[in-house]
Amino acid sequence: MRNAALAEEAEELAAGTLDPECACMAELFPEDLLTATDAVLDTFETELRCLAEADDAQIFGVVERVVLALNAVNEAHNGSAYETDERELLCDYIDRSLTEHGVDIVALTAPGPTWTRPVPDHG
């Protein structure tokens, strides 16, 4: 989606139909950011293909790794690589990808049994 917007902006600049001062896509989404994000998501997709018989802990591990990797990309871009809209899109992508690979997101994130500790007897 962002790559298409970048290409469209480049075409408009080349054709002279877009004022260079109005061009912002390349600055907002530099090539190194897109490449790093794609690499993280490619790794995530590869890991998902190996989750056919995974337990919840393994699935959470894959999600944790992709989130930490995306956070690292964000930090490498001074904490401004992903704004709220991009974060929401990335979360939707992760949820959709998990679902497409047979993960029941609702069941995965449902609270587990409530464990209670015995109340100490101070008497």
Side-chain angles (χ1 to χ4, degrees):
M1 174 166 62
R2 301 289 183 216
N3 289 338
L6 281 165
E8 182 179 339
E9 183 176 270
E11 288 174 13
E12 290 175 0
L13 284 169
T17 58
L18 177 65
D19 182 340
E21 290 193 22
C22 294
C24 64
M25 294 301 290
E27 185 177 329
L28 289 174
F29 304 103
E31 189 61 37
D32 63 325
L33 168 63
L34 297 176
T35 300
T37 303
D38 286 345
V40 168
L41 296 177
D42 288 346
T43 299
F44 172 65
E45 285 289 336
T46 299
E47 289 190 47
L48 282 179
R49 287 191 287 274
C50 301
L51 289 180
E53 300 297 323
D55 61 24
D56 289 357
Q58 291 168 310
I59 295 167
F60 276 118
V62 169
V63 173
E64 179 180 32
R65 284 189 293 280
V66 71
V67 169
L68 292 175
L70 289 168
N71 286 345
V73 170
N74 190 54
E75 287 304 313
H77 289 84
N78 299 317
S80 62
Y82 311 121
E83 299 298 331
T84 301
D85 289 344
E86 288 78 28
R87 288 178 185 276
E88 288 178 7
L89 289 170
L90 288 166
C91 287
D92 288 344
Y93 176 82
I94 291 167
D95 283 354
R96 197 171 47 253
S97 296
L98 288 165
T99 300
E100 288 171 2
H101 285 84
V103 175
D104 182 347
I105 301 292
V106 174
L108 182 69
T109 58
T114 303
W115 300 100
T116 58
R117 294 184 317 172
V119 177
D121 183 10
H122 294 290

